[in-house]
Amino acid sequence: MSFARRPRLLCLLCQSRAFSTSYRLLAEQGPVPKAVAKTNNQSTQAKTKTTTPPSSPAPPKVIAPSPLEDAPRGYGKRVEEFTPKPLSRPIGMHLPPKPGENTGIDNRTLKQRRDDFVNYEKHLARREVLKSKMARPYFRDWGNLKFHKGKTFIAPPRMFKEDVSLFFPNVYGQTLLKSDRKPRDTTPTLYGKISVVSVFSSVWAENQAKTFVDKENNPMLDHLLEQNQDTAQRIWINIEENSLKAFLIKMFIGGIRSRIGERNWHRYFIVRKGVSDEIQESIGLLNKSVGYVYLLDRQCRIRWAGSGPSEDHEREGLAQSVQRLLNEEKKLKGS
């Protein structure tokens, strides 16, 4: 008997195979295979991940205002009232100093100068710098001396820690040496020693810096520097951008040599240029008519700073900070 002759029987067989109602329930089919269970778990985990609410963002860090924020400057808005505040945070540059920086020397070639001269964007930037310099009142710094004799900030109550302290910049100037009159960098002189640096731009400012470091005003500091000449030193940085005043300094350079002594001639720097506004803002050098004093460790980090005429607690704090740095140096050499 052939199935071709019995089409009705063939259709019944196909219908019985295609539309069978003999499938077992899911519970009767045994455990679910591992691969299927794994995919199901992944899908459920993905659903739970998407449904969980996102975590709240971390609260923003609160940065304390700088103690130099409201200090009077030789530019910008005139300040009517000001009271100096103690330094609550380290001041200085974020990168360590390197010889060759901030020299004020233009090392561009003629082609580079020509390209910069015809560059419109650089021309606009240069014009803005000239406009800001022309807009600065000439006697603003002298006028700001009425605020506590020009004191920009009060010295910190204790020395800054090494890991958070910032750096003193490299400057470039001529020393008092007779044998070598070429300008040199300050970083090689500062690096490797504890340095008490006086920065000033006039006789008035120099006298203010003397109130921190001179023998008559701070005999304890003078004693420490005399007893540790191989580890600690004094540095003088006389910043004078005015050509006429710089010429007068050279006229009376003999008196400066006799006053500080021959052993300190290589530590007195006459700086003509290279001290930019960024450097002045970073180290708190906000008034050219005021004297500033900085204590640097052997890595050129600013560990202490003072400005204007000194007070009793500031002189004592400077001497104690130098003593602490000397003790740290002795521990390093002993270990």
Side-chain angles (χ1 to χ4, degrees):
M1 181 178 64
S2 172
F3 286 104
R5 297 180 181 178
R6 301 285 182 94
R8 183 175 299 177
L9 180 61
L10 180 61
C11 292
L12 292 174
L13 290 174
C14 294
Q15 290 175 3
S16 64
R17 291 177 183 176
F19 301 100
S20 176
T21 57
S22 63
Y23 292 110
R24 292 180 297 173
L25 298 175
L26 184 62
E28 299 176 356
Q29 292 181 2
V32 183
K34 293 184 179 180
V36 179
K38 187 175 181 181
T39 54
N40 292 336
N41 291 335
Q42 289 178 353
S43 61
T44 55
Q45 288 178 2
K47 291 181 180 179
T48 55
K49 287 182 180 180
T50 55
T51 56
T52 53
S55 57
S56 59
K61 294 183 179 180
V62 179
I63 301 176
S66 172
L68 307 177
E69 184 177 4
D70 300 328
R73 290 163 169 78
Y75 54 90
K77 187 178 179 180
R78 182 185 296 274
V79 177
E80 300 299 336
E81 294 182 1
F82 172 71
T83 302
K85 303 175 184 177
L87 284 179
S88 57
R89 295 190 298 173
I91 57 175
M93 309 292 289
H94 291 277
L95 298 178
K98 296 179 181 179
E101 295 177 336
N102 310 318
T103 60
I105 301 175
D106 192 356
N107 295 319
R108 295 176 300 171
T109 61
L110 292 176
K111 183 179 182 303
Q112 290 174 340
R113 295 185 185 185
R114 184 260 175 195
D115 294 340
D116 293 342
F117 182 77
V118 299
N119 190 311
Y120 185 69
E121 295 182 356
K122 293 185 177 181
H123 171 72
L124 292 178
R126 188 164 56 250
R127 187 171 65 179
E128 290 298 326
V129 173
L130 292 176
K131 284 171 59 179
S132 63
K133 289 184 177 181
M134 293 178 63
R136 295 183 181 183
Y138 184 77
F139 295 102
R140 174 69 65 82
D141 288 335
W142 285 105
N144 290 334
L145 294 178
K146 65 182 179 182
F147 303 114
H148 303 271
K149 297 182 180 180
K151 199 172 187 65
T152 307
F153 53 83
I154 300 175
R158 60 184 59 87
M159 186 174 61
F160 297 127
K161 295 182 179 180
E162 180 182 1
D163 55 346
V164 298
S165 298
L166 303 178
F167 296 94
F168 190 82
N170 177 77
V171 294
Y172 186 75
Q174 182 182 354
T175 63
L176 302 181
L177 291 173
K178 295 181 180 180
S179 58
D180 186 6
R181 298 179 181 272
K182 294 181 180 180
R184 58 179 63 188
D185 297 292
T186 58
T187 300
T189 305
L190 297 172
Y191 191 80
K193 280 193 174 184
I194 300 170
S195 304
V196 180
V197 183
S198 301
V199 182
F200 48 89
S201 298
S202 62
V203 177
W204 173 276
E206 184 179 6
N207 291 333
Q208 286 187 339
K210 286 180 180 180
T211 62
F212 284 92
V213 296
D214 262 18
K215 182 178 181 180
E216 294 78 11
N217 299 296
N218 201 340
M220 182 179 177
L221 174 64
D222 183 76
H223 176 73
L224 290 174
L225 295 178
E226 287 291 332
Q227 296 298 321
N228 301 274
Q229 295 184 17
D230 57 337
T231 309
Q233 62 181 352
R234 275 195 65 185
I235 300 292
W236 294 260
I237 298 179
N238 190 347
I239 302 175
E240 192 50 75
E241 298 177 350
N242 188 286
S243 300
L244 179 58
K245 293 182 179 180
F247 176 75
L248 293 176
I249 292 174
K250 291 184 179 180
M251 289 286 293
F252 297 98
I253 199 171
I256 301 176
R257 288 195 180 106
S258 61
R259 187 173 73 249
I260 69 172
E262 186 174 356
R263 68 176 185 178
N264 294 319
W265 286 358
H266 67 288
R267 300 189 182 107
Y268 192 103
F269 294 85
I270 303 174
V271 179
R272 294 293 314 280
K273 50 183 147 181
V275 185
S276 62
D277 293 342
E278 180 185 0
I279 292 176
Q280 296 178 25
E281 285 284 340
S282 64
I283 65 176
L285 197 69
L286 303 182
N287 193 327
K288 296 180 180 179
S289 301
V290 175
Y292 297 86
V293 176
Y294 302 91
L295 174 61
L296 313 183
D297 60 13
R298 62 194 312 270
Q299 297 179 348
C300 299
R301 294 180 181 270
I302 301 177
R303 307 293 296 275
W304 186 94
S307 67
S310 65
E311 300 178 3
D312 294 339
H313 67 91
E314 291 180 315
R315 292 191 293 269
E316 184 179 355
L318 175 58
Q320 291 177 355
S321 299
V322 172
Q323 183 66 67
R324 287 186 59 184
L325 288 180
L326 291 172
N327 294 337
E328 293 178 2
E329 287 291 322
K330 291 178 182 179
K331 291 182 180 179
L332 289 175
K333 291 181 180 179
S335 61

